[in-house]
Amino acid sequence: MRVLSAMQPSGQLHLGNYFGSMKPNLELSKEADESIFFVVDLHALTTVHDPDLLRTSRQEAMHDYIASGFDPEKTIMFFQSYVPEHTELMWILSTLAPVGMMERAVSYKDKVDRGLDATLGLFAYPALMAADILLYEVDVVPVGKDQKQHVEMTRDLATKFNNAFGETFTLPEPLIREEVAVVPGTDGQKMSKSYGNTIPLFGDEKGIKKAIMSIETDSKGASDPKDPETCSVYQIHKLLLSESDAKALADEYRNGMSYGDAKIQLFEAYMDYFGAMRERRASISEKEVISVMEEGAIKASAIAKATMERVRTATGLR
Ligand code: ADP
Ligand code: TRP
C-alpha cells in the first residue's frame, strides 16, 4: 500500500495539527509499504506572496515533520515545487475539469468569503491537488473532513481522464479522519492558527507555558469541584495520557483541584510528551533537512516522470 499526505506550510504547528493530522498520518505511514509526504509550496503561493516567508515556512514545516518521526528511509519527503510534473499534470487535468465542478468547491468559496482574492490559481487549487495525488498512483490519501471534496474531485478528474484517454490513473481512496476529536484552543474554540488560540509544538518553552496558563476556564473557586468534560484544560491534557491516567485525572478535577494546579500539571505532561520530539527537532540541522528533501525530490521525480510519460503518450503530446 502506498499512502500520500501533504500539507500547506502555513505557520507554526500546534497541538490540533499534531493530534488531528500528523499523528494519524505518522501511524498510517508506519503501516504502509511506502509513504510520500510533501510540503505544498505551490499551493501556498495562492495566499503567500512574500518570498522570505514562503522559503522559511516550507523549510520549517519539513523540519517539523522530520522531527515528528517520519522516517526518511521509508517516506519520500520533498517540496512540491521541486517536482515540476505537478504543474504539468495540473494543466492537463484542468482541460477536463468542468468550471461548474470547480465552482462548487467549498474551500474556494470559503476562502473568497474570507476576503482572499479570487485568482485563477485559487480557483484551480483542487486541480493542482488532484495532480499531486494522481502522479503517484497512491491507494490511500488520509485527509481531514474539509479536504474530502478535493479527493472526490480528484477521483472525478481521474475518471474523466481514463474515459477520454484510456485507463491511466488508479482512483485514490480518501481516508477521512472522522474519529479525530477537535482539539480545543486556549479560548475553548477549535484550535486554529487563524484564531490565535494555539499551543505550539515547537519553539520556546516560555511561549508554551504562557499559552497553557492562558487557557480560559469558568470562574469556579480554587477548591470547588470541576467538570472535566467541559474544561479545555482537561480536554487537552487527556490527549497526552493513557485512558486510566485520564480517568484518575478527571477524578482530581471532580475532587476540587484548582485550575492553576491543573494547568501546571498540563504543562509538565506536555513537556514529557513532546520533550523527545522537541529535542530531536533541535538536533536536526537545516542542512540535514535540505538533504532529506533533495533526496526525496529525486525519488519523487522518478515516479512522477514515469507517470507523465504515460500521460503524454495517452494524450498525444508524445
Ligand atoms: P489551522 O486551522 O491551524 O489553519 P490547518 O487547517 O492547516 O490548521 O490544518 C492542518 C491539519 O490539522 C488538518 O488536517 C486539520 O484537520 C488538522 N487540525 C487543525 N486544527 C485542528 C484541531 N483543532 N483539532 C483537530 N485537528 C486539527
Ligand atoms: N489541500 C490540502 C490542505 O489544505 C493540502 C494538500 C495539497 C494535499 N495537495 C494535497 C493534501 C494532496 C493531501 C494530498 O490541507
Side-chain angles (χ1 to χ4, degrees):
M1 179 181 62
R2 188 185 271 169
V3 181
L4 176 142
S5 57
M7 74 160 300
Q8 285 225 45
S10 50
Q12 220 181 14
L13 285 174
H14 54 74
L15 199 70
N17 298 140
Y18 183 77
F19 285 102
S21 163
M22 280 170 111
K23 186 165 175 266
N25 283 0
L26 190 59
E27 283 161 5
L28 194 65
S29 83
K30 286 186 175 146
E31 283 167 31
D33 304 308
E34 187 176 31
S35 67
I36 295 181
F37 167 78
F38 47 97
V39 176
V40 293
D41 49 2
L42 293 169
H43 278 111
L45 264 185
T46 58
T47 52
V48 181
H49 290 146
D50 172 340
D52 289 333
L53 179 64
L54 186 70
R55 224 176 271 126
T56 19
S57 57
R58 71 176 184 187
Q59 172 81 15
E60 300 268 309
M62 188 59 83
H63 204 142
D64 293 344
Y65 265 73
I66 298 172
S68 77
F70 278 92
D71 173 6
E73 294 296 316
K74 219 176 106 181
T75 304
I76 300 178
M77 301 174 89
F78 61 102
F79 296 148
Q80 180 191 32
S81 66
Y82 277 48
V83 182
E85 282 77 7
H86 288 244
T87 42
E88 185 182 355
L89 181 56
M90 177 221 143
W91 174 254
I92 294 170
L93 295 174
S94 78
T95 66
L96 294 157
V99 169
M101 175 177 95
M102 305 299 283
E103 279 172 344
R104 284 191 293 277
V106 175
S107 78
Y108 172 72
K109 285 188 277 194
D110 278 356
K111 286 176 183 168
V112 174
D113 286 347
R114 277 194 277 130
L116 291 184
D117 288 336
T119 60
L120 187 54
L122 195 64
F123 189 59
Y125 184 111
L128 181 56
M129 179 158 161
D132 289 346
I133 297 172
L134 297 177
L135 269 182
Y136 298 101
E137 293 181 277
V138 290
D139 307 295
V140 183
V141 188
V143 283
K145 266 186 230 160
D146 59 323
Q147 297 296 317
K148 183 174 176 219
Q149 190 189 23
H150 288 159
V151 181
E152 282 160 1
M153 289 164 90
T154 302
R155 290 172 61 90
D156 253 14
L157 289 174
T159 307
K160 284 189 196 310
F161 186 99
N162 289 348
N163 289 343
F165 300 115
E167 279 305 308
T168 307
F169 293 121
T170 20
L171 300 194
E173 282 299 332
L175 183 73
I176 311 296
R177 294 181 297 253
E178 306 268 4
E179 78 294 353
V180 177
V182 171
V183 179
T186 53
D187 58 358
Q189 284 193 75
K190 175 189 178 238
M191 189 180 288
S192 169
K193 286 176 290 263
S194 339
Y195 305 150
N197 63 357
T198 66
I199 305 175
L201 288 180
F202 300 109
D204 154 52
E205 196 170 314
K206 269 199 207 128
I208 293 173
K209 188 162 193 179
K210 197 166 154 222
I212 289 178
M213 298 314 284
S214 77
I215 299 173
E216 286 175 24
T217 55
D218 58 29
S219 53
K220 288 206 172 83
S223 54
D224 290 346
K226 321 275 182 322
D227 179 4
E229 292 317 313
T230 57
C231 175
S232 307
V233 186
Y234 177 78
Q235 292 304 317
I236 294 172
H237 198 155
K238 84 171 180 193
L239 296 167
L240 312 172
L241 299 177
S242 66
E243 218 172 294
S244 60
D245 287 350
K247 263 199 181 139
L249 181 67
D251 287 339
E252 288 190 56
Y253 276 72
R254 291 190 195 99
N255 293 334
M257 171 166 56
S258 75
Y259 285 127
D261 286 347
K263 288 177 183 177
I264 288 166
Q265 280 198 25
L266 167 57
F267 173 68
E268 284 164 3
Y270 200 89
M271 285 302 151
D272 264 0
Y273 192 94
F274 291 113
M277 200 169 101
R278 290 168 54 81
E279 276 171 30
R280 204 171 328 127
R281 193 187 192 287
S283 75
I284 300 170
S285 68
E286 257 184 49
K287 243 173 119 181
E288 283 171 88
V289 174
I290 292 171
S291 117
V292 164
M293 195 287 295
E294 285 180 346
E295 273 178 41
I298 292 171
K299 291 185 200 155
S301 281
I303 306 172
K305 282 197 163 77
T307 307
M308 280 316 292
E309 271 312 301
R310 290 191 283 116
V311 169
R312 292 184 198 116
T313 305
T315 47
L317 292 166
R318 182 65 82 245

